Amino acid sequence: MDLENLCKRTREICQDVADFMKTQQEKIQTNHIENKGIHDFVTYVDKTSEEKLVHALQPLLPEAGFIAEEGTTTKRGKVFNWIIDPLDGTTNYIHKLSPYAISIALMENDKVVMGVVYEVGLKECFYSWKGAPAYLNGREISVSNAESIQDSLIATGFPFTNYSQLDRFMRSLKYFIENTHGVRRPGSAATDLAYVACGRFDAFYEYSLHAWDVAAGAFLVQQAGGKVCNFSMGDNFIFGEQIVASNSKVHEEFAIQVNRYMVK
């Protein structure tokens, strides 16, 4: 399989769908917004974008199935599956804020072998494939060189539907606010992970996430020289609904603190 060419074709598809998103953004009205759950929004743009992605990706790898946020297809592949978030950051999108992103990963058995995160607002495409470096718009990227939490800028996502760990999360937030360069919450987990991959953020953690939120971005972090785990410092971060990602130098220190507040 030519993963490099497959990645190129996937990026072209992302560009086409991103153009559609931009044309629709000014047309979004209140009556176009649906609630999947408390504060969990979806629009016709999410659904149509996913349909466009599935339709365009299907012929590239006919045997592949899909794990897609909006459920426009339930086809599963025996070996290959695309993991798709057509619009990560819908709340930002409907409020005309950035970032919001398209996230696409290709999984072979239980391993991601290709990932693309296209941040639409800035037209930034982050991508990599198995055996390759990570790139941003054609330029090779790597994680930051921060050597301690004290020297790090942390990204996270605030819980908006699942408040089961809110007290723990608020205590962790207090610690990181007091002991780092600061904490940022852009509103798109896929973009947060891409920003760790290119060194803008030194570390990221969040809970109540899904595979389509993190699969591509986590792969990018690893391809860019970083490390990823779950809150228990294990490797179940794609389907485990929690993730810790950082550069290699601060990873152990950062993961221990996340574990301390979010698990123990």
Side-chain angles (χ1 to χ4, degrees), residues 45-107:
V45 178
D46 300 67
K47 296 176 181 179
T48 304
S49 295
E50 184 170 293
E51 290 171 355
K52 289 177 177 290
L53 291 169
V54 169
H55 179 75
L57 289 168
Q58 181 73 69
L60 299 186
L61 197 62
E63 68 270 32
F66 293 86
I67 301 170
E69 180 175 15
E70 306 307 333
T72 58
T73 176
T74 57
K75 177 189 175 183
R76 292 290 186 272
K78 292 182 178 180
V79 177
F80 294 101
N81 283 284
W82 297 101
I83 305 178
I84 298 174
D85 192 334
L87 206 175
D88 185 60
T90 299
T91 301
N92 283 356
Y93 178 79
I94 62 179
H95 286 279
K96 299 177 177 60
L97 297 172
S98 289
Y100 55 94
I102 301 166
S103 177
I104 301 176
L106 178 63
M107 178 170 277

Side-chain angles (χ1 to χ4, degrees), residues 115-187:
V116 177
V117 173
Y118 188 98
E119 200 290 297
V120 180
L122 294 177
K123 298 182 179 180
E124 290 190 326
C125 190
F126 303 83
Y127 57 93
S128 186
W129 60 93
K130 184 179 178 181
Y135 297 94
L136 163 56
N137 291 351
R139 175 178 59 85
E140 188 173 333
I141 56 174
S142 65
V143 294
S144 75
N145 291 315
E147 296 187 352
S148 69
I149 290 178
Q150 186 176 0
D151 297 323
S152 296
L153 182 64
I154 310 299
T156 190
F158 299 157
F160 60 95
T161 59
N162 178 358
Y163 302 117
S164 62
Q165 299 185 63
L166 184 57
D167 290 341
R168 287 178 177 271
F169 176 76
M170 294 307 294
R171 288 193 290 271
S172 75
L173 197 60
K174 181 177 185 294
Y175 175 83
F176 289 123
I177 288 172
E178 292 177 344
N179 292 278
T180 69
H181 281 188
V183 178
R184 300 290 183 267
R185 193 271 190 177

Side-chain angles (χ1 to χ4, degrees), residues 99 155-157 184-197 201 204 206:
T156 190
R184 300 290 183 267
R185 193 271 190 177
S188 165
T191 305
D192 293 337
L193 287 161
Y195 285 2
V196 173
F201 292 137
F204 166 74
E206 189 174 349

Side-chain angles (χ1 to χ4, degrees), residues 6-40:
L6 194 60
C7 186
K8 179 177 182 292
R9 297 287 300 278
T10 302
R11 300 197 308 272
E12 292 168 352
I13 292 167
C14 285
Q15 179 64 68
D16 290 342
V17 175
D19 291 343
F20 164 75
M21 288 181 183
K22 293 295 288 184
T23 64
Q24 298 302 305
Q25 193 169 31
E26 295 299 324
K27 301 177 183 179
I28 291 287
Q29 304 293 327
T30 302
N31 64 316
H32 295 146
I33 302 168
E34 301 174 29
N35 290 299
K36 292 191 290 185
I38 299 173
H39 307 145
D40 192 3

